[in-house]
Structure formats: C-alpha cells, structure tokens
C-alpha cells in the first residue's frame, strides 16, 4: 500500500489556550514494500504522525491517502474499520497492553475480533509467534512470566496476527537491554524478508535503523527535515547533531578525517565499510 501525506497538520487542543502544533504542513510519500525509518528527537512529532496512518488521529488540516482511500479531518469513525485492518500499529511499550491469561490467547485476540475462522486464527497466531521467535513452549504461559523483550515480541505478534499490509512500530526497542533489542530487530528484519510488507519503524536510535531500513525520514519540530537513504542521511552527521540526533559512531570519524584533509569517503556508516576505508587510507598514507 502506498501512502501519500499532503499538507498534513495536527494541532492538539485546537481552539483552546493549550493549542500546540505537533505537525506542521507535512508532505511525504512512504514507499510500498520498503522498510522506512522515522527518526527525530523527542517531541518532534513522530508518534503523532504515525497515528494518522491508521486514523487513530485525524488531520487538523491536509489529508492522507492510503491506496484509494483519502482520510481527512471529517472522517466518520465507523468507516475506518477496513483501514485499521490493513495498517497495524504497535504502540510504544505495547507490553502494557497484554492482558490475556496466556500468550496464545493474547495473540489470538486481534484475529478473533476480526471474525476469522478458528483454523485461520490458529494459523495466524502460530505464524506471527514464529516470526517473532516465540515457540510453542510459551503458548500456555502467562505473558507476565516473560522477560521484557519476550513480552514485547508477543505484543508485536498480536498485531502481526491480523495480517496487516503495513506494519508500524513506534520505538520498538525503547527501554530494552541489548539482547532484547537485537531480538526485536532480528524479528522485524525476518518479518520484512518473509512477508515483504511495508514496515515503518519509529526510532531515535541510529545504530538500530542504519542497517535495517531502505529509507529514512528525519522529523524536526513537527516538520520533515530531510528524507533519503541511510547513506545520504548519515553523510551529514553534524547536521543531524543540530537536530538533536546522532549518526552512527563511524560517520563522525570519517567526517573528522575529511575535515583534516584526508582523502576519505564521507558516506560511511557501518563498521565494515569503515574498516575497509581505513585500510585503504593507511596504504595511501604509507605510499
Ligand atoms: P515524538 O513521538 O517525536 O516524541 P509526539 O508526536 O509524541 O513526538 O509529540 C509531538 C508534540 O505534540 C510534542 O510537543 C508533544 O508534547 C505534543 N503532544 C503529543 N501528544 C499530545 C497530546 N495528547 N496532547 C497535547 N500535546 C501532545
Ligand atoms: Mg513518540
């Protein structure tokens, strides 16, 4: 599903003395079947933006087009059901919303609500838990017996089990230890590889998104500051810094080397690339 956002503004508490502009006339295209990251400092409008994509929030101004469906300010809640089925949103800290007695039941909740057959529900639940790396030994456990990372993977499976065409994850690694974080990222990667669906990943961690995504959207103060491939975005680490963001560590090293007059590429963002470029530089300097 392609997503077009046109002149989208969102104002919280519009018309009151507490009115605040969270999104300011945003234009944006999110490409189908791609993995896109939305990054930006806290308060830049990331969560507000993604909640428009499944119409949990409606535009104050502007519109969002998802395939042929156009969402505007005056949408009727009843007409949004079909859209919400296609666009799955995993909130930040989704594990707070686990509530069933068992892992299996929790993941089955969404597909059951969609009115699917018992076999279809079972199939979806097993497939979703499989993608996030939760095996049968967990099915009858209480979600509350699990580790933080496992809980979060169960919560993600709950959305996946509804087979959305677009999956949005709002800060899926926030607050997890490195192991939990790696497991979540591996699950998201596997999901994208296996199902090929459009994935939108909200993050403030560059190291998380650098390797994983095809495109990055940088938000700053309710506007889209810049969009591009990770390579394009990370070749300007100092500009990211001014927006309260950090680039992967190695990007800075190369920006500094360039500044000091060394003949190095400035679009390096993985450790492997950095190693190769440094070896080349050492050879040049010696020669
Ligand atoms: P991010 O996800 O990038 O941290 P948010 O979309 O949560 O940003 O917030 C964008 C702006 O909107 C911030 O200034 C925030 O304080 C404000 N905001 C977010 N949610 C609400 C709300 N429910 N009521 C009023 N203001 C809000
Ligand atoms: Mg947020």
């Amino acid at each position: 599903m392609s997503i077009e956002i046109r002149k989208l503004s969102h104002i919280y508490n519009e018309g009151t003395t507490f009115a605040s502009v969270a999104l300011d006339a945003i234009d944006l295209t999110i490409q189908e079947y791609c993995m896109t990251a939305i990054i930006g400092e806290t308060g830049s409008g990331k969560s507000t933006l993604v909640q428009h994509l499944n119409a949990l929030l409606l535009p104050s101004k502007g519109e969002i087009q998802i395939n042929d469906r156009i969402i505007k300010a005056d949408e009727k809640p009843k007409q949004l059901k079909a859209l919400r089925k296609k666009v799955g949103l995993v909130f930040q800290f989704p594990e707070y919303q686990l509530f069933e007695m068992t892992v299996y039941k929790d993941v089955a909740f969404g597909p059951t609500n969609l009115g699917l057959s018992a076999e279809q529900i079972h199939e979806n639940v097993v497939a979703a838990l499989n993608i996030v790396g939760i095996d049968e030994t967990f099915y009858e456990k209480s979600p509350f017996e699990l580790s933080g990372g496992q809980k979060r993977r169960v919560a993600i499976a709950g959305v996946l089990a509804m087979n959305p065409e677009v999956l949005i994850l709002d800060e899926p690694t926030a607050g997890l230890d490195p192991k939990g974080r790696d497991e979540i990222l591996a699950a998201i990667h596997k999901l994208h590889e296996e199902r090929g669906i459009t994935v939108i990943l909200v993050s403030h961690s560059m190291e998380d998104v650098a390797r994983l995504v095809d495109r990055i959207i940088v938000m700053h103060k309710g506007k889209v500051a810049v969009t591009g491939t990770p390579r394009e975005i990370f070749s300007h680490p100092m500009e990211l810094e001014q927006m309260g963001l950090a680039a992967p560590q190695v990007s800075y090293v190369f920006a500094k080397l360039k500044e000091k007059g060394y003949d190095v590429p400035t679009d390096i963002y993985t450790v492997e690339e950095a190693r190769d470029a440094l070896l080349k530089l050492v050879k040049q300097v010696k020669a």
Side-chain angles (χ1 to χ4, degrees):
M1 288 211 286
S2 66
I3 302 177
E4 284 274 347
I5 296 168
R6 292 187 282 263
K7 297 273 169 294
L8 172 66
S9 292
H10 191 88
I11 303 162
Y12 284 106
N13 307 308
E14 198 170 5
T16 75
T17 47
F18 302 105
S20 73
V21 180
L23 298 177
D24 186 4
I26 286 185
D27 286 305
L28 201 57
T29 302
I30 293 173
Q31 283 161 6
E32 216 171 0
Y33 312 121
C34 280
M35 185 109 112
T36 299
I38 300 178
I39 64 176
E41 65 184 329
T42 303
S44 58
K46 304 180 299 294
S47 296
T48 304
L49 175 62
V50 295
Q51 287 175 73
H52 281 81
L53 303 181
N54 77 343
L56 271 182
L57 290 176
L58 293 174
S60 304
K61 294 194 196 100
E63 60 185 33
I64 297 129
Q65 179 163 1
I66 301 182
N67 284 352
D68 312 338
R69 182 79 166 81
I70 296 181
I71 307 161
K72 292 189 185 182
D74 57 354
E75 214 49 65
K76 304 281 176 297
K78 261 198 180 158
Q79 295 160 354
L80 295 168
K81 235 181 143 180
L83 173 74
R84 296 214 176 115
K85 216 168 111 176
K86 291 190 181 141
V87 182
L89 173 62
V90 181
F91 288 101
Q92 202 167 352
F93 301 113
E95 58 274 22
Y96 293 153
Q97 287 164 22
L98 297 172
F99 65 97
E100 290 279 6
M101 299 290 284
T102 69
V103 165
Y104 185 95
K105 280 188 183 157
D106 220 296
V107 178
F109 180 80
T112 304
N113 262 354
L114 292 179
L116 303 181
S117 70
E119 295 94 76
Q120 191 65 59
I121 293 170
H122 181 70
E123 200 176 293
N124 288 9
V125 170
V126 171
L129 283 168
N130 184 34
I131 283 192
V132 300
I134 299 283
D135 67 37
E136 312 83 65
T137 60
F138 287 93
Y139 286 7
E140 294 310 313
K141 286 195 176 158
S142 159
F144 304 100
E145 289 172 53
L146 309 181
S147 73
Q150 289 167 339
K151 273 187 204 159
R152 193 163 299 176
R153 281 185 280 144
V154 169
I156 293 172
V159 174
L160 268 183
M162 293 189 274
N163 280 343
E165 291 174 35
V166 177
L167 181 73
I168 306 167
L169 301 123
D170 195 352
E171 310 250 8
T173 62
L176 294 180
D177 58 23
K179 182 166 172 281
R181 191 195 67 185
D182 289 347
E183 284 165 353
I184 294 271
L185 293 175
I188 296 169
H189 184 68
K190 190 169 163 212
L191 160 78
H192 185 66
E193 295 276 290
E194 286 184 8
R195 295 205 182 171
I197 63 173
T198 308
V199 177
I200 300 170
L201 186 65
V202 175
S203 180
H204 62 250
S205 162
M206 297 307 134
E207 311 284 342
D208 278 9
V209 303
R211 289 168 170 279
L212 216 52
V213 303
D214 308 303
R215 293 195 70 78
I216 295 181
I217 295 166
V218 182
M219 299 279 300
H220 186 56
K221 298 192 168 154
K223 290 183 187 285
V224 172
V226 50
T227 67
T229 62
R231 196 171 296 287
E232 287 161 357
I233 300 286
F234 295 135
S235 54
H236 304 282
M238 303 311 168
E239 288 161 36
L240 287 175
E241 195 93 342
Q242 282 163 11
M243 293 188 274
L245 296 168
Q249 292 290 331
V250 292
S251 303
Y252 291 98
V253 175
F254 281 83
K256 275 275 173 229
L257 284 170
K258 189 81 185 178
E259 205 180 286
K260 291 199 184 295
Y262 290 101
D263 178 24
V264 291
T266 51
D267 60 353
I268 299 279
Y269 68 95
T270 70
V271 173
E272 291 78 9
E273 288 172 345
R275 177 198 57 205
D276 295 347
L278 284 176
L279 285 173
K280 208 168 144 198
L281 177 67
V282 169
K283 269 192 203 147
Q284 275 173 11
V285 173
K286 275 188 183 162

